[in-house]
Amino acid sequence: MADVEVEQQPIENEEEEDIEEEEEYEEEYEEEEEYVAAEPANAVKLFGKWSFDDIEVRDISLEDYIACKGPHAVFLPHTAGRYQKKRFRKSSCPIVERLVCCLMRKGRNNGKKLMAVRIVMHCLEIIHLSTDQNPIQVLVDAIINSGPREDSTRVGGAGVVRRQAVDMSPFRRVNYALYLIATGAREASFRNLKTMAEVLAEEIINAARGSSNSYAIKKKDEIERVAKSNR
């Protein structure tokens, strides 16, 4: 009888170990399920990294013209949309793609969209490493800060021409901000050891902070100052 009891003990121990292993496996599986529920597999992320969900457009007048939510969230800023076919249609173009298109300037860069996409991808990485924020949010803030709110236009004719201050529409503010950011980055990278991605990241970060080190912020202040003197 003693021999039988000795043989039964290891069997019982093995059963307990199996039960413990099953419980551990179930706990791990539950943790994985919770993780999957928190981060859906079909969530749209720019370059598979940057989420559009928590992006906030802090200027209410520009909400309709900075496309970064809902159907405008994209995996890659290369939708091949025909945004120039109709007036104002480019306002529905994803905002990161609009930045990419602004970089394809002067003649030697015309049509090189994949190169521009690569520059923007590296630029967003640098912004994230520098600020520890979502780089799309930093870009949106930079565009809001860089768009002039007032400009001056030429009024009159027959030899008598004067400049008159006018308010700038939200659509033109976004267009002008993108133009200034891209132009500032292009001029800073010319004859410079820094890469285009590095100077573009620097320009966007400074513009988002409202720093006068930014080309776009300096130009915006200058335009608004001239407009104020022509009121």
Side-chain angles (χ1 to χ4, degrees), residues 50-143:
W50 319 117
S51 172
F52 289 90
D53 296 337
D54 53 347
I55 303 302
E56 185 183 351
V57 181
R58 297 189 175 96
D59 189 331
I60 194 169
S61 65
L62 301 181
E63 277 181 350
D64 296 335
Y65 299 99
I66 296 179
C68 58
K69 293 237 177 197
H72 307 299
V74 289
F75 289 102
L76 201 67
H78 196 317
T79 58
R82 304 189 334 178
Y83 297 108
Q84 295 295 338
K85 283 288 177 186
K86 205 167 187 182
R87 195 179 180 195
F88 300 119
R89 188 175 285 174
K90 64 182 178 183
S91 63
S92 63
C93 178
I95 197 66
V96 182
E97 184 171 358
R98 291 196 65 188
L99 176 66
V100 167
C101 293
C102 284
L103 295 178
M104 292 193 294
R105 279 192 57 239
K106 304 284 189 176
R108 61 181 182 176
N109 296 318
N110 280 359
K112 298 182 182 178
K113 192 160 186 178
L114 293 181
M115 182 180 76
V117 168
R118 192 184 70 242
I119 288 168
V120 169
M121 182 175 70
H122 293 163
C123 167
L124 296 181
E125 286 280 2
I126 294 166
I127 290 171
H128 176 66
L129 291 171
S130 301
T131 62
D132 203 29
Q133 291 177 288
N134 187 336
I136 304 170
Q137 181 66 63
V138 178
L139 173 62
V140 168
D141 292 344
I143 290 167

Side-chain angles (χ1 to χ4, degrees), residues 125-213:
E125 286 280 2
I126 294 166
I127 290 171
H128 176 66
L129 291 171
S130 301
T131 62
D132 203 29
Q133 291 177 288
N134 187 336
I136 304 170
Q137 181 66 63
V138 178
L139 173 62
V140 168
D141 292 344
I143 290 167
I144 291 169
N145 290 345
S146 302
R149 289 158 292 189
E150 195 178 19
D151 199 357
S152 50
T153 185
R154 288 160 60 89
V155 173
V160 182
V161 177
R162 66 185 184 85
R163 296 183 73 81
Q164 173 65 43
V166 290
D167 293 335
M168 199 178 271
S169 72
F171 186 54
R172 183 165 164 80
R173 277 181 66 189
V174 174
N175 296 349
Y176 218 107
L178 287 165
Y179 165 78
L180 290 175
I181 288 169
T183 304
R186 187 181 307 106
E187 289 184 7
S189 67
F190 200 65
R191 298 186 188 277
N192 193 345
L193 288 174
K194 284 186 179 178
T195 64
M196 183 65 180
E198 288 171 349
V199 293
L200 181 60
E202 207 171 285
E203 175 69 29
I204 289 170
I205 291 167
N206 286 333
R209 290 173 180 162
S211 166
S212 59
N213 292 333

